[in-house]
Amino acid sequence: MNEVKRVAVVGFGSLGAMYAGCFGRAMGADGVFVVADGARTAVYRSEPTVFNGEPIAATYLTYEEAAEQARETPFDVVLYAVKYGALEEAMTQSAPLVGPDTAVISVLNGITSEEVLAERFGWDRVLLCVAQQMDSRKVGFTVTAGCVGVMALGVRDADDPIQQANLARVTAWLDAIEQPYICPEDIQHQLWGKLICNVGVNQACAVYDCCFDGIHEEGEARQAMIGAMNEVAAVGQACGINLTDADVAYWLDIIDHLNPAGLPSLRQDVLARRPTEVELFSGTINRLGAAHGVPTPVNERFYAAIKDIESRY
């Protein structure tokens, strides 16, 4: 496998734009390509998107333009940063970008996007990934992040040499561009750990109409958040993931160090009156809880409340 020189980013919300900005600073616009449909690409080209005070160094391509380029020079990495509801369409449109040696990375929330991507592209290409500890936010053409966090990366089958070679190629690239990452010993545990965080902080901030400071202080919002997080740990245990009170405490400490004025993605969606990813959070936990006989009353309440918010857009 050749070294990573060309990266495509599919999805240009706060997280996709943050990563495009980070990659572009190290690789330049001839190495980073933001790929979207024609209408979105025209908007992205109309005015530079700024990340932490600097225009993002990226080339904006339509899916058709990117596919034409891929026929000549394959993309080494395709990073998906769309909302989960848009993943199926994004996969279909971006499929020509994924060649035999392309690494596929998802920074979507939840624990299911890699399975979906692997059904299309195969586990030889798809890495398991958790994007964590970042506080990115996008408003118009401006993206800010006090912390870009780290990528936690791994493979589905640790004994598969092809998957391990794919991981090694990607981590060598991240080392070269000085992008923070870790390779946990148990990536599935890490995926579920991030779900503990997301289920708590995203939903509590949306339901209680607050920034991170609203769940930093003691009160109803914080207690509801912690209750939802504990339910994830219980459901995870029932699914064979070794989650404990220590995992809840670990993610609670990370939450407590987030920028008090920041907003999680689901809260940003509510403010923008967009469909949320509640199905990835309480939707997933409620379904798995019911299947394994684990009560999830806090997540059931969160699910109903967020669905009610969406119904009033």
Side-chain angles (χ1 to χ4, degrees):
M1 293 182 178
N2 297 323
E3 64 179 295
V4 173
K5 293 183 178 179
R6 289 166 52 82
V7 178
V9 177
V10 180
F12 202 54
S14 62
L15 200 53
M18 184 195 80
Y19 280 120
C22 291
F23 301 160
R25 284 178 179 175
M27 302 174 70
D30 57 349
V32 180
F33 302 85
V34 174
V35 183
D37 59 35
R40 287 186 175 88
T41 300
V43 172
Y44 301 155
R45 288 170 174 167
S46 69
E47 183 176 337
T49 299
V50 174
F51 170 57
N52 281 355
E54 297 180 13
I56 291 176
T59 300
Y60 299 99
L61 300 175
T62 65
Y63 286 115
E64 295 76 15
E65 291 167 343
E68 184 176 350
Q69 284 202 16
R71 285 191 287 271
E72 298 294 328
T73 309
F75 290 94
D76 300 305
V77 172
V78 177
L79 183 140
Y80 288 90
V82 297
K83 293 292 186 181
Y84 185 76
L87 181 58
E88 194 69 41
E89 181 180 1
M91 281 195 309
T92 299
Q93 292 183 296
S94 62
L97 281 59
V98 179
D101 294 327
T102 303
V104 174
I105 300 173
S106 165
V107 293
L108 276 69
N109 289 318
I111 56 174
T112 58
S113 64
E114 284 89 355
E115 295 282 349
V116 174
L117 287 163
E119 286 180 11
R120 174 68 65 96
F121 301 122
W123 283 111
D124 287 353
R125 298 183 183 91
V126 177
L127 294 174
L128 294 173
C129 178
V130 185
Q132 60 190 51
Q133 301 176 30
M134 63 285 169
D135 59 0
S136 60
R137 186 179 184 186
K138 185 180 183 186
V139 179
F141 292 94
T142 300
V143 184
T144 55
C147 176
V148 301
V150 298
M151 285 185 183
L153 295 165
V155 297
R156 185 172 185 262
D157 182 357
D159 296 324
D160 188 308
I162 296 176
Q163 293 181 31
Q164 289 288 3
N166 189 33
L167 176 62
R169 182 191 188 205
V170 168
T171 56
W173 161 57
L174 295 174
D175 282 333
I177 66 172
E178 299 183 352
Q179 183 70 25
Y181 74 90
I182 57 173
C183 291
E185 198 168 303
D186 186 347
I187 187 64
Q188 291 288 356
H189 183 273
Q190 199 80 13
L191 283 163
W192 273 84
K194 177 65 184 297
L195 188 61
I196 287 175
C197 175
N198 272 331
V199 163
V201 71
N202 270 280
Q203 299 187 130
C205 287
V207 171
Y208 287 94
D209 189 19
C210 63
C211 300
F212 291 132
D213 61 356
I215 46 87
H216 285 167
E217 59 189 35
E218 289 299 330
E220 182 181 340
R222 183 176 177 85
Q223 289 308 307
M225 176 185 72
I226 294 171
M229 294 166 72
N230 284 327
E231 289 176 3
V232 178
V235 171
Q237 289 171 3
C239 293
I241 308 299
N242 184 28
L243 297 170
T244 68
D245 291 344
D247 293 294
V248 175
Y250 169 82
W251 287 100
L252 190 59
D253 181 66
I254 288 175
I255 291 168
D256 286 344
H257 287 86
L258 294 172
N259 177 4
L263 295 171
S265 61
L266 195 146
R267 176 65 181 139
Q268 294 180 45
D269 289 339
V270 166
L271 290 174
R273 304 175 72 84
R274 294 188 296 254
T276 74
E277 293 184 312
V278 67
E279 294 295 344
L280 290 179
F281 301 145
S282 53
T284 296
I285 294 307
N286 293 339
R287 287 190 295 273
L288 290 174
H292 290 277
V294 178
T296 56
V298 180
N299 277 289
E300 288 173 6
R301 180 167 67 85
F302 274 165
Y303 183 87
I306 293 167
K307 283 294 187 181
D308 179 65
I309 291 170
E310 289 182 326
S311 73
R312 291 184 276 111
Y313 286 170

